[in-house]
Amino acid sequence: MDNPRRNREITVNGWRIEPIGEWSAAPPEMVEDAIKRVVQAIESAADRPYHRSRHALTYMTQIPVGTGRAQELYIKTFHPARGLAAIKQMVRGDRVHNVLRITADLHRAGFATAPVLLKGVHAASGRIMLTSSRAEGVSLPEFIACGQGSLARKRVLLRQLGSEVARLHRTGLVHGDMTPYNVFVVQGEPPRFIFLDHDRTRPGFPAGRRYRQLRNLVQLGRFDLPGVSNADRLRVFNAYAAGLDRVHRRAMARRVARMLARRRRRDAK
């Protein structure tokens, strides 16, 4: 391992990695050990990622944080941008830059996020990387599957989810991939929600904004989850519509229900 530069950028096996967020002030030896583990996780499971998408590969590792305790880290490596995506990247900045910018916007608006700890680039391949700690709570499907509370409590939770998505959209942001697995629930009264995976979250520009906002509801509703009925989905839609546009809330809820029905028919083919 090379010696850290003044900005604490560290080079390991072709990866240039820099601690950010809470790790920017962490002890150097702890950061260096974590970076070694991150690079090892990428290389040892190169063809067996924790999750695979069209844009990125995600790996998982752990670092010790005390006697018998470990901290889970999620490492997302993004494929180099090509063609039109490369042109957009020159204008907007890369996906890592977008995550950091959106995360700052979310914090200012009072939303919690998964702590972002490392960013890096692989000199030879052009891949870029972002490492985050595991968010609080559990995913929405896991929370519902565990049967947390009564039927009435589940319905309250789903209405609160719709209201929270509306609050996100009122800040001017639209999530890039709002599946139930990218929503974590933190126990409490009321429970809190954490939206994950912000490399494609963008400001909702006026042209087509309403469609992209409603598409977030379709992304949430298109998955078949045990314990979630069509009536439950409608509760989310109604709470969302009431939180975003009370005047047109019924028409909005009907529109997203139609959008969801079309998407589920396509998925069934």
Side-chain angles (χ1 to χ4, degrees):
M1 175 177 293
D2 298 342
N3 291 327
R5 301 178 185 176
R6 287 188 177 181
N7 63 0
R8 300 191 67 193
E9 182 180 271
I10 297 169
T11 301
V12 184
N13 294 0
W15 284 97
R16 300 197 309 273
I17 300 176
E18 178 183 352
I20 55 179
E22 61 189 63
W23 276 11
S24 61
E29 59 276 10
M30 185 276 286
V31 172
E32 291 181 18
D33 179 68
I35 288 175
K36 287 179 181 178
R37 291 173 184 266
V38 163
V39 173
Q40 183 181 27
I42 295 171
E43 294 182 347
S44 63
D47 298 322
R48 295 172 287 103
Y50 174 81
H51 179 73
R52 185 189 303 269
S53 73
R54 194 162 48 120
H55 308 281
L57 302 175
T58 302
Y59 304 91
M60 196 269 280
T61 191
Q62 295 183 336
I63 59 169
V65 291
T67 305
R69 295 190 301 121
Q71 180 179 9
E72 288 185 356
L73 301 181
Y74 291 86
I75 309 140
K76 197 163 188 176
T77 64
F78 299 95
H79 308 316
R82 309 289 186 197
L84 181 59
I87 296 173
K88 289 181 178 180
Q89 181 172 295
M90 287 189 291
V91 176
R92 297 175 175 174
D94 62 35
R95 290 177 182 268
V96 168
H97 171 80
N98 187 69
V99 170
L100 298 179
R101 179 171 59 86
I102 293 298
T103 297
D105 290 343
L106 289 169
H107 287 171
R108 282 193 292 270
F111 290 91
T113 64
V116 183
L117 305 172
L118 300 171
K119 65 176 181 178
V121 60
H122 190 261
S125 67
R127 288 178 295 164
I128 53 178
M129 177 273 289
L130 199 67
T131 297
S132 303
S133 180
R134 189 185 190 280
E136 291 182 82
V138 297
S139 70
L140 179 64
E142 183 179 353
F143 189 88
I144 293 174
C146 289
Q148 301 281 354
S150 64
L151 178 62
R153 181 173 172 79
K154 181 192 73 169
R155 291 174 176 173
V156 169
L157 173 80
L158 293 173
R159 291 190 185 100
Q160 289 171 332
L161 174 60
S163 297
E164 191 72 348
V165 176
R167 186 168 80 90
L168 174 70
H169 289 170
R170 289 199 305 270
T171 70
L173 298 175
V174 180
H175 198 284
D177 187 24
M178 188 172 277
T179 74
Y181 303 94
N182 280 336
V183 179
F184 267 41
V185 184
V186 183
Q187 282 274 30
E189 292 296 340
R192 294 186 294 115
F193 297 95
I194 300 178
F195 301 126
L196 307 180
D197 200 11
H198 291 291
D199 56 280
R200 288 185 288 160
T201 299
R202 294 281 189 273
F205 297 111
R209 174 189 294 169
R210 182 54 54 86
Y211 174 80
R212 288 192 292 272
Q213 290 174 338
L214 297 186
R215 190 173 62 180
N216 276 177
L217 276 294
V218 173
Q219 290 168 338
L220 275 175
R222 62 184 282 249
F223 288 86
D224 288 320
L225 302 178
V228 176
S229 65
N230 286 335
D232 289 328
R233 293 183 178 91
L234 191 58
R235 290 184 180 93
V236 176
F237 301 163
N238 284 329
Y240 170 84
L244 196 67
D245 187 346
R246 289 183 178 274
V247 175
H248 302 100
R249 63 184 184 275
R250 291 183 180 176
M252 186 186 298
R254 288 195 296 268
R255 182 181 176 188
V256 71
R258 291 194 298 268
M259 291 171 61
L260 176 59
R262 288 196 299 269
R263 180 56 188 261
R264 288 169 69 85
R265 284 196 296 269
R266 288 204 305 269
D267 289 346
K269 290 180 179 178

